[in-house]
Coordinates of all heavy atoms in Angstrom, one line a residue:
S53 N 23.3 -110.1 4.7 CA 24.3 -109.0 4.7 C 24.8 -108.8 3.3 O 25.1 -109.7 2.6 CB 25.4 -109.4 5.7 OG 26.4 -108.4 5.7
G54 N 25.0 -107.5 3.0 CA 25.5 -107.2 1.7 C 27.0 -106.7 1.6 O 27.5 -106.3 0.6
R55 N 27.7 -106.8 2.8 CA 29.1 -106.4 2.8 C 29.8 -107.0 4.0 O 29.2 -107.7 4.8 CB 29.1 -104.9 3.0 CG 28.4 -104.4 4.3 CD 28.3 -102.9 4.3 NE 27.5 -102.4 3.3 CZ 26.1 -102.3 3.4 NH1 25.5 -102.7 4.5 NH2 25.4 -101.8 2.4
T56 N 31.1 -106.8 4.0 CA 31.9 -107.3 5.1 C 31.4 -106.7 6.4 O 31.0 -105.5 6.5 CB 33.4 -106.8 4.9 OG1 33.9 -107.5 3.8 CG2 34.2 -107.0 6.2
D57 N 31.3 -107.5 7.5 CA 30.8 -107.1 8.8 C 31.8 -107.5 9.8 O 32.2 -108.6 10.0 CB 29.4 -107.7 9.1 CG 28.7 -106.9 10.2 OD1 29.3 -106.8 11.2 OD2 27.6 -106.5 10.0
N58 N 32.3 -106.5 10.6 CA 33.4 -106.7 11.5 C 32.9 -107.2 12.9 O 33.7 -107.7 13.7 CB 34.1 -105.4 11.8 CG 34.9 -104.9 10.5 OD1 35.3 -105.7 9.7 ND2 34.9 -103.6 10.3
S59 N 31.6 -107.1 13.1 CA 31.1 -107.6 14.4 C 29.6 -107.9 14.3 O 28.8 -107.1 13.8 CB 31.3 -106.6 15.5 OG 30.7 -107.0 16.7
Y60 N 29.2 -109.1 14.7 CA 27.8 -109.5 14.7 C 27.1 -109.0 15.9 O 25.9 -109.1 16.1 CB 27.6 -111.0 14.6 CG 28.0 -111.6 13.2 CD1 28.0 -112.9 13.0 CD2 28.5 -110.8 12.2 CE1 28.3 -113.5 11.8 CE2 28.8 -111.3 11.0 CZ 28.8 -112.7 10.8 OH 29.1 -113.2 9.6
S61 N 27.8 -108.4 16.9 CA 27.2 -108.0 18.2 C 26.1 -107.0 18.1 O 25.3 -106.9 18.9 CB 28.3 -107.6 19.1 OG 28.9 -106.4 18.6
N62 N 26.2 -106.2 17.0 CA 25.2 -105.1 16.8 C 24.2 -105.5 15.7 O 23.5 -104.6 15.2 CB 25.8 -103.8 16.5 CG 26.6 -103.8 15.2 OD1 26.9 -104.9 14.7 ND2 27.0 -102.6 14.8
D63 N 24.1 -106.8 15.3 CA 23.2 -107.2 14.3 C 22.2 -108.1 14.8 O 22.4 -109.0 15.7 CB 24.0 -107.9 13.2 CG 25.0 -107.0 12.5 OD1 24.6 -106.0 12.1 OD2 26.2 -107.4 12.5
T64 N 20.9 -108.0 14.3 CA 19.8 -108.8 14.8 C 19.2 -109.5 13.6 O 19.3 -109.0 12.4 CB 18.8 -108.0 15.5 OG1 18.3 -106.9 14.7 CG2 19.4 -107.4 16.8
Y65 N 18.5 -110.6 13.8 CA 17.7 -111.2 12.7 C 16.5 -110.3 12.4 O 15.7 -110.0 13.3 CB 17.2 -112.6 13.2 CG 18.4 -113.5 13.4 CD1 18.9 -113.8 14.7 CD2 19.1 -114.1 12.3 CE1 20.0 -114.7 14.9 CE2 20.1 -115.0 12.5 CZ 20.6 -115.2 13.8 OH 21.7 -116.1 14.0
P66 N 16.4 -109.8 11.1 CA 15.5 -108.8 10.8 C 14.0 -109.1 11.1 O 13.3 -108.3 11.6 CB 15.6 -108.6 9.2 CG 17.0 -109.1 9.0 CD 17.2 -110.2 10.0
L67 N 13.6 -110.3 10.9 CA 12.1 -110.6 11.1 C 11.9 -111.3 12.4 O 10.8 -111.1 13.0 CB 11.7 -111.6 9.9 CG 11.8 -111.0 8.5 CD1 11.3 -112.0 7.5 CD2 11.1 -109.7 8.4
A68 N 12.9 -112.0 12.9 CA 12.6 -112.8 14.2 C 13.2 -112.0 15.4 O 12.8 -112.3 16.5 CB 13.3 -114.2 14.1
G69 N 14.2 -111.1 15.2 CA 14.8 -110.5 16.3 C 15.8 -111.4 16.9 O 16.0 -112.6 16.6
G70 N 16.6 -110.9 17.9 CA 17.6 -111.6 18.6 C 19.0 -111.4 17.9 O 19.0 -111.2 16.7
T71 N 20.0 -111.4 18.7 CA 21.3 -111.1 18.1 C 21.9 -112.2 17.2 O 21.6 -113.4 17.4 CB 22.3 -110.9 19.3 OG1 23.6 -110.5 18.7 CG2 22.5 -112.2 20.1
V72 N 22.7 -111.8 16.3 CA 23.3 -112.7 15.3 C 24.6 -113.3 16.0 O 25.0 -114.5 15.7 CB 23.6 -112.0 14.0 CG1 24.4 -113.0 13.1 CG2 22.4 -111.5 13.3
Q73 N 25.2 -112.5 16.9 CA 26.4 -112.9 17.5 C 26.3 -114.3 18.2 O 25.4 -114.5 19.0 CB 26.8 -111.8 18.5 CG 28.0 -112.2 19.4 CD 29.3 -111.6 18.9 OE1 29.3 -110.8 17.9 NE2 30.4 -111.9 19.6
D74 N 27.2 -115.2 17.9 CA 27.2 -116.5 18.6 C 25.9 -117.3 18.5 O 25.6 -118.1 19.4 CB 27.6 -116.3 20.0 CG 29.1 -115.8 20.2 OD1 29.9 -116.0 19.2 OD2 29.4 -115.2 21.2
T75 N 25.2 -117.1 17.4 CA 23.9 -117.9 17.3 C 23.8 -118.5 15.9 O 22.9 -119.3 15.7 CB 22.7 -117.0 17.5 OG1 22.6 -116.0 16.5 CG2 22.6 -116.4 18.9
G76 N 24.7 -118.2 15.0 CA 24.6 -118.7 13.6 C 24.9 -120.2 13.5 O 25.9 -120.7 14.1
S77 N 24.0 -120.9 12.9 CA 24.2 -122.4 12.8 C 24.4 -122.8 11.3 O 24.9 -123.9 11.1 CB 23.0 -123.2 13.3 OG 22.9 -122.9 14.7
S78 N 24.0 -122.0 10.4 CA 24.2 -122.4 8.9 C 24.3 -121.1 8.1 O 23.8 -120.0 8.6 CB 23.1 -123.3 8.4 OG 21.8 -122.7 8.5
V79 N 24.9 -121.2 7.0 CA 25.1 -120.0 6.1 C 24.8 -120.3 4.7 O 25.0 -121.5 4.2 CB 26.6 -119.4 6.3 CG1 26.8 -118.9 7.7 CG2 27.6 -120.5 6.0
V80 N 24.5 -119.2 3.9 CA 24.4 -119.3 2.5 C 25.1 -118.2 1.8 O 24.9 -117.0 2.2 CB 22.9 -119.3 2.0 CG1 22.8 -119.2 0.5 CG2 22.2 -120.6 2.5
N81 N 26.0 -118.5 0.9 CA 26.7 -117.4 0.2 C 26.2 -117.3 -1.2 O 26.4 -118.1 -2.1 CB 28.2 -117.8 0.1 CG 29.0 -116.8 -0.7 OD1 28.5 -115.8 -1.1 ND2 30.3 -117.1 -0.8
R82 N 25.4 -116.2 -1.4 CA 24.8 -115.9 -2.7 C 25.6 -114.8 -3.5 O 25.1 -114.2 -4.4 CB 23.4 -115.5 -2.6 CG 22.5 -116.7 -2.1 CD 21.0 -116.5 -2.4 NE 20.8 -116.5 -3.9 CZ 19.7 -116.1 -4.4 NH1 18.7 -115.7 -3.7 NH2 19.5 -116.0 -5.7
R83 N 26.8 -114.5 -3.0 CA 27.6 -113.4 -3.6 C 28.1 -113.8 -5.0 O 28.4 -112.9 -5.8 CB 28.8 -113.1 -2.8 CG 28.6 -112.2 -1.7 CD 30.0 -111.7 -1.2 NE 30.5 -110.7 -2.1 CZ 31.8 -110.5 -2.3 NH1 32.7 -111.3 -1.7 NH2 32.3 -109.5 -3.0
G84 N 28.4 -115.1 -5.2 CA 29.1 -115.4 -6.5 C 30.6 -115.3 -6.3 O 31.3 -115.5 -7.2
K85 N 31.0 -114.8 -5.1 CA 32.4 -114.7 -4.8 C 32.6 -115.2 -3.4 O 31.6 -115.4 -2.6 CB 32.9 -113.3 -4.9 CG 32.9 -112.7 -6.3 CD 33.5 -111.3 -6.2 CE 32.8 -110.3 -7.1 NZ 33.3 -108.9 -6.9
G86 N 33.8 -115.3 -2.9 CA 34.1 -115.9 -1.6 C 33.7 -115.0 -0.5 O 33.7 -113.8 -0.5
V87 N 33.3 -115.7 0.6 CA 33.1 -115.0 1.9 C 33.8 -115.9 3.0 O 33.6 -117.1 3.0 CB 31.6 -114.9 2.2 CG1 31.4 -114.3 3.6 CG2 30.9 -114.1 1.2
R88 N 34.5 -115.2 3.9 CA 35.1 -116.0 5.0 C 34.5 -115.6 6.3 O 34.3 -114.4 6.6 CB 36.7 -115.7 5.0 CG 37.4 -116.6 6.0 CD 38.9 -116.5 5.7 NE 39.7 -117.2 6.7 CZ 40.0 -118.5 6.6 NH1 39.5 -119.2 5.7 NH2 40.7 -119.1 7.6
I89 N 34.1 -116.5 7.1 CA 33.4 -116.3 8.3 C 34.3 -116.7 9.5 O 35.1 -117.6 9.4 CB 32.0 -117.0 8.3 CG1 31.2 -116.6 9.5 CG2 32.2 -118.5 8.3 CD1 29.7 -117.1 9.5
F90 N 34.2 -115.9 10.6 CA 35.2 -116.0 11.7 C 34.5 -116.2 13.0 O 33.4 -115.7 13.3 CB 36.1 -114.8 11.7 CG 36.9 -114.5 10.5 CD1 36.4 -113.9 9.4 CD2 38.3 -115.0 10.5 CE1 37.2 -113.6 8.3 CE2 39.0 -114.7 9.4 CZ 38.5 -114.1 8.3
V91 N 35.3 -116.9 13.9 CA 34.8 -117.1 15.3 C 34.8 -115.8 16.1 O 33.8 -115.5 16.9 CB 35.7 -118.1 16.0 CG1 35.5 -118.1 17.5 CG2 35.5 -119.5 15.4
N92 N 35.7 -114.9 15.8 CA 35.8 -113.7 16.6 C 35.5 -112.5 15.7 O 35.5 -112.5 14.5 CB 37.2 -113.5 17.2 CG 37.6 -114.6 18.2 OD1 36.7 -115.2 18.8 ND2 38.8 -114.9 18.3
G93 N 35.3 -111.3 16.4 CA 35.1 -110.1 15.7 C 36.4 -109.6 14.9 O 37.5 -110.1 15.2
D94 N 36.2 -108.7 14.0 CA 37.3 -108.1 13.3 C 38.1 -109.1 12.5 O 39.3 -109.0 12.4 CB 38.2 -107.3 14.2 CG 37.5 -106.1 14.8 OD1 36.7 -105.5 14.1 OD2 37.8 -105.8 16.0
Q95 N 37.4 -110.2 12.0 CA 38.0 -111.2 11.2 C 39.2 -111.9 11.9 O 40.2 -112.1 11.3 CB 38.5 -110.6 9.8 CG 37.3 -110.2 8.9 CD 36.7 -108.8 9.3 OE1 37.5 -107.9 9.6 NE2 35.4 -108.7 9.3
N96 N 39.0 -112.1 13.2 CA 40.0 -112.8 14.0 C 39.6 -114.2 14.4 O 38.4 -114.6 14.3 CB 40.3 -112.0 15.3 CG 41.1 -110.8 15.0 OD1 42.1 -110.8 14.2 ND2 40.7 -109.7 15.6
G97 N 40.5 -115.0 14.8 CA 40.3 -116.4 15.2 C 40.1 -117.3 14.0 O 40.3 -117.0 12.9
A98 N 39.6 -118.5 14.4 CA 39.4 -119.5 13.4 C 38.4 -119.0 12.3 O 37.4 -118.4 12.6 CB 38.8 -120.8 14.0
G99 N 38.7 -119.3 11.0 CA 37.8 -118.9 10.0 C 37.5 -120.0 9.0 O 38.2 -121.1 9.0
W100 N 36.5 -119.8 8.2 CA 36.2 -120.8 7.1 C 35.6 -120.1 5.9 O 34.8 -119.2 6.0 CB 35.1 -121.8 7.7 CG 34.7 -122.8 6.7 CD1 35.5 -123.8 6.2 CD2 33.4 -123.0 6.2 NE1 34.7 -124.6 5.4 CE2 33.5 -124.2 5.3 CE3 32.2 -122.4 6.3 CZ2 32.4 -124.6 4.6 CZ3 31.1 -122.8 5.6 CH2 31.2 -124.0 4.8
N101 N 36.1 -120.5 4.7 CA 35.7 -119.9 3.5 C 34.4 -120.6 3.0 O 34.3 -121.8 2.8 CB 36.7 -120.1 2.4 CG 37.9 -119.2 2.6 OD1 37.9 -118.3 3.4 ND2 39.0 -119.4 1.9
V102 N 33.3 -119.8 3.0 CA 32.0 -120.4 2.6 C 31.9 -120.5 1.1 O 32.1 -119.5 0.4 CB 30.9 -119.5 3.1 CG1 29.5 -120.1 2.8 CG2 31.0 -119.2 4.6
P103 N 31.7 -121.6 0.6 CA 31.6 -121.8 -0.9 C 30.6 -120.9 -1.5 O 29.5 -120.7 -1.0 CB 31.2 -123.3 -1.1 CG 31.7 -123.9 0.1 CD 31.5 -122.9 1.2
A104 N 30.9 -120.3 -2.7 CA 30.0 -119.4 -3.4 C 29.1 -120.1 -4.3 O 28.9 -119.8 -5.5 CB 30.8 -118.3 -4.2
D105 N 28.4 -121.1 -3.7 CA 27.5 -122.0 -4.5 C 26.0 -121.8 -4.2 O 25.2 -122.5 -4.8 CB 27.9 -123.4 -4.3 CG 27.8 -123.9 -2.8 OD1 27.4 -123.1 -2.0 OD2 28.3 -125.0 -2.5
G106 N 25.7 -120.9 -3.3 CA 24.3 -120.6 -2.9 C 23.7 -121.7 -2.1 O 22.5 -121.7 -1.9
K107 N 24.5 -122.7 -1.7 CA 23.9 -123.8 -0.9 C 24.0 -123.5 0.6 O 24.8 -122.7 1.0 CB 24.7 -125.1 -1.2 CG 24.5 -125.6 -2.6 CD 25.2 -126.9 -2.8 CE 25.0 -127.4 -4.3 NZ 25.9 -128.6 -4.6
R108 N 23.2 -124.2 1.3 CA 23.1 -124.0 2.8 C 24.2 -124.9 3.4 O 24.1 -126.1 3.2 CB 21.7 -124.3 3.3 CG 21.6 -123.8 4.7 CD 20.1 -123.5 5.0 NE 19.9 -123.2 6.4 CZ 18.7 -122.9 6.8 NH1 17.6 -122.9 6.0 NH2 18.5 -122.6 8.1
W109 N 25.1 -124.3 4.2 CA 26.1 -125.1 4.8 C 26.0 -125.0 6.3 O 25.9 -123.9 6.9 CB 27.5 -124.5 4.4 CG 27.8 -124.7 3.0 CD1 27.5 -123.9 1.9 CD2 28.5 -125.8 2.4 NE1 28.0 -124.5 0.7 CE2 28.6 -125.6 1.0 CE3 29.2 -127.0 3.0 CZ2 29.3 -126.6 0.2 CZ3 29.8 -127.8 2.2 CH2 29.8 -127.7 0.8
N110 N 26.0 -126.1 7.0 CA 26.0 -126.1 8.4 C 27.4 -125.7 8.9 O 28.4 -126.2 8.4 CB 25.7 -127.5 9.0 CG 24.2 -127.8 8.8 OD1 23.4 -127.0 8.4 ND2 23.9 -129.1 9.0
L111 N 27.5 -124.9 10.0 CA 28.8 -124.5 10.5 C 29.4 -125.5 11.4 O 30.6 -125.5 11.7 CB 28.6 -123.1 11.2 CG 28.3 -121.9 10.3 CD1 28.0 -120.7 11.1 CD2 29.5 -121.7 9.3

Side-chain angles (χ1 to χ4, degrees):
S53 176
R55 59 188 65 85
T56 291
D57 198 306
N58 295 326
S59 172
Y60 291 178
S61 62
N62 60 347
D63 298 306
T64 58
Y65 295 100
L67 303 180
T71 184
V72 176
Q73 173 97 4
D74 294 338
T75 61
S77 297
S78 58
V79 291
V80 171
N81 177 4
R82 295 199 64 192
R83 273 196 80 210
K85 295 186 216 172
V87 176
R88 188 166 175 84
I89 189 168
F90 296 85
V91 165
N92 297 333
D94 296 323
Q95 293 79 43
N96 286 315
W100 181 62
N101 288 349
V102 183
D105 57 6
K107 293 181 180 171
R108 192 153 174 180
W109 291 88
N110 288 351
L111 291 173

